[in-house]
Amino acid sequence: ALAQFSRSTSIPTLVGESLGSRFPYREVLERTDVAIIMTDPCWVGGITEARRVADVASLYQKPFTAHDCAGPVNLAVDVHLCTHAENAFIQEVVRAFYYGWYTEVAEGLPQLSNGMIEATARPGHGVSLRPEIREALNAEVRTTEQS
């Protein structure tokens, strides 16, 4: 159905934000005329697998974008991913989340200004939970021990 749809319209078709690994993306690229590939590091298996999806899209000369809806850390990872993927062309940003709950729970978000987003210079992905989040009455804090 996706192949039929993508061939039946002149509107660029974007697909993939919830596909499971790089392998279904390759199948989509081989069997359809999809124009744009999107992935989400939280859903595809992490940063490394998301980077592999971008690379697979590049092999097929398709633009790549990252999905934003899984939280402020995911957005920061997305921005770094798109900064370094040769075929990245846009970064999805849900402004209601960016200016809403993302700022309520985290600090160090990538800077959004005049339609452009830029990774922070902070270490790693740059985002940290606000200290007061751990103290909230409904917070469930889990820790793991390093061995």
Side-chain angles (χ1 to χ4, degrees):
L2 181 59
Q4 184 179 6
F5 175 78
S6 65
R7 290 183 182 112
S8 71
T9 181
S10 61
I11 299 169
T13 305
L14 179 145
V15 72
E17 69 187 38
S18 61
L19 293 176
S21 72
R22 65 190 175 273
F23 303 109
Y25 286 91
R26 189 192 74 216
E27 185 176 345
V28 164
L29 288 163
E30 287 177 356
R31 299 176 71 187
T32 73
D33 287 336
V34 166
I36 305 163
I37 293 296
M38 176 182 267
T39 196
D40 188 308
C42 288
W43 299 348
V44 78
I47 298 166
T48 301
E49 194 66 11
R51 177 58 197 232
R52 289 176 178 153
V53 169
D55 290 343
V56 168
S58 180
L59 289 172
Y60 288 84
Q61 299 179 337
K62 300 293 182 178
F64 167 81
T65 187
H67 178 248
D68 168 37
C69 277
V73 171
N74 190 62
L75 175 61
V77 168
D78 286 347
V79 171
H80 281 280
L81 182 64
C82 285
T83 298
H84 297 285
E86 66 183 355
N87 54 332
F89 81 107
I90 195 168
Q91 170 61 59
E92 179 185 46
V93 176
V94 179
R95 291 174 301 184
F97 291 175
Y98 183 88
Y99 293 110
W101 74 270
Y102 285 8
T103 60
E104 294 172 9
V105 300
E107 51 194 19
L109 289 169
Q111 294 302 301
L112 181 60
S113 177
N114 298 319
M116 303 292 284
I117 193 161
E118 184 177 354
T120 65
R122 294 172 66 168
H125 52 62
V127 174
S128 58
L129 287 177
R130 293 189 174 282
E132 61 270 21
I133 295 300
R134 290 175 142 307
E135 306 303 322
L137 293 176
N138 61 347
E140 180 179 326
V141 178
R142 297 180 185 180
T143 57
T144 57
E145 293 183 23
Q146 300 276 335
S147 55

